[in-house]
């Protein structure tokens, strides 16, 4: 079991507090997802599944590497949602399996984000969409806060300083839309399509 998995197994009981902070962003994110045409959707890092009720359409598959988180998610999930213990950096799904891949506050905590992005590309169908909600270090005074937190963000398995363009694998996708969330545009929703 990896150090990251151990951390999130221990962290699972505190996750509802994080959910309170993330709830406004996730509500906007899922409003966008629910407007997309129906299809097969994979959410990587479904956490405790507290947001599962926000899905209104699509055939949902969720994965989580933390057993503790996944057990809580299974209690929140209706029988129509398939949940698996799995690492997004090593998906066992066949290629070209999903119309959508959702990464909600996941890519900045991935051990190997390049590998995660390549796996997203592999399992997406041609012209499938990858939707990301995450913090992105802005080019304003908030970048100094990220730089400060970067000194100890490794304890939380988080990349505080985070630029999506630093990953070569993102070039396998085309950015269709970028939505900056208030305040300060620190959090963004990015919608990519597979080339």
């Amino acid at each position: 079991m990896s150090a990251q998995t151990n951390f999130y197994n221990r962290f699972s009981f505190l996750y509802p507090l994080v959910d309170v902070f993330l709830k406004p962003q996730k509500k906007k994110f899922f409003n966008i997802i629910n407007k997309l045409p129906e299809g097969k959707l994979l959410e990587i890092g479904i956490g405790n599944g507290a947001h599962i009720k926000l899905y209104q359409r699509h055939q949902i598959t969720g994965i989580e590497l933390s057993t503790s988180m996944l057990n809580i998610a299974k209690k929140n999930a209706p029988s129509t949602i398939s949940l698996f213990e799995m690492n997004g950096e090593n998906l066992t799904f066949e290629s070209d399996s999903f119309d959508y891949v959702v990464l909600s506050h996941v890519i900045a905590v991935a051990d190997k984000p390049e590998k995660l992005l390549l796996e997203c590309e592999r399992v997406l169908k041609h012209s499938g969409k990858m939707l990301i909600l995450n913090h992105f270090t802005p080019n304003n005074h908030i970048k100094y806060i990220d730089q400060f937190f970067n000194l100890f963000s490794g304890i939380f398995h988080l990349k505080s300083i985070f630029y999506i363009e630093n990953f070569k694998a993102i070039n396998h996708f085309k950015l269709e839309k970028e939505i900056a969330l208030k305040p300060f545009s620190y959090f963004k929703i990015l919608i990519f399509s597979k080339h």
Side-chain angles (χ1 to χ4, degrees):
M1 190 178 290
S2 71
Q4 184 186 37
T5 305
N6 279 329
F7 171 79
Y8 283 105
N9 280 337
R10 293 193 307 271
F11 183 69
S12 60
F13 76 99
L14 283 174
Y15 199 76
L17 297 176
V18 176
D19 263 349
V20 171
F21 174 68
L22 301 179
K23 193 172 184 179
Q25 306 154 27
K26 286 191 175 184
K27 189 173 180 183
K28 291 176 183 176
F29 190 44
F30 284 93
N31 282 341
I32 290 168
I33 291 168
N34 290 328
K35 290 175 183 173
L36 295 169
E38 288 188 30
K40 291 182 69 177
L41 182 150
L42 170 65
E43 181 176 350
I44 296 175
I46 205 157
N48 66 3
H51 62 276
I52 285 175
K53 59 186 178 290
L54 296 176
Y55 283 114
Q56 296 173 1
R57 59 197 313 182
H58 306 304
Q59 183 182 336
I60 310 296
T61 299
I63 67 162
E64 175 58 47
L65 57 76
S66 164
T67 306
S68 299
M69 292 276 209
L70 187 64
N71 287 337
I72 298 168
K74 285 178 177 177
K75 293 175 184 174
N76 290 322
S79 59
T80 53
I81 293 181
S82 301
L83 296 174
F84 302 96
E85 187 173 338
M86 195 182 301
N87 189 328
E89 297 164 11
N90 189 24
L91 299 173
T92 60
F93 304 112
E94 291 184 9
S95 299
D96 308 309
S97 296
F98 296 96
D99 300 288
Y100 308 104
V101 172
V102 169
L103 301 170
S104 177
H105 298 286
V106 166
I107 193 165
V109 298
D111 280 342
K112 299 174 183 173
E114 293 277 8
K115 192 171 181 185
L116 173 65
L117 288 169
L118 290 173
E119 280 292 271
C120 291
E121 180 199 17
R122 184 183 66 78
V123 300
L124 270 174
K125 295 178 182 177
H126 180 69
S127 298
K129 296 187 189 303
M130 178 175 67
L131 298 101
I132 297 175
L133 167 61
N134 212 88
H135 82 274
F136 297 95
T137 302
N139 290 318
N140 58 34
H141 61 282
I142 295 177
K143 69 182 177 184
Y144 300 112
I145 298 173
D146 270 0
Q147 288 170 1
F148 171 73
F149 278 109
N150 196 55
L151 298 173
F152 50 87
S153 61
I155 297 167
F156 302 99
H157 296 271
L158 169 71
K159 294 165 188 68
S160 178
I161 299 173
F162 191 74
Y163 300 96
I164 192 76
E165 61 270 18
N166 286 352
F167 302 114
K168 291 179 182 177
I170 204 65
N171 295 319
H172 295 232
F173 300 88
K174 178 184 177 184
L175 180 62
E176 289 190 350
K177 195 167 188 179
E178 178 178 315
I179 302 163
L181 302 177
K182 296 180 181 179
F184 313 121
S185 301
Y186 183 62
F187 295 97
K188 291 181 181 179
I189 295 168
L190 304 180
I191 304 173
F192 293 91
S193 60
K194 178 177 172 177
H195 280 313

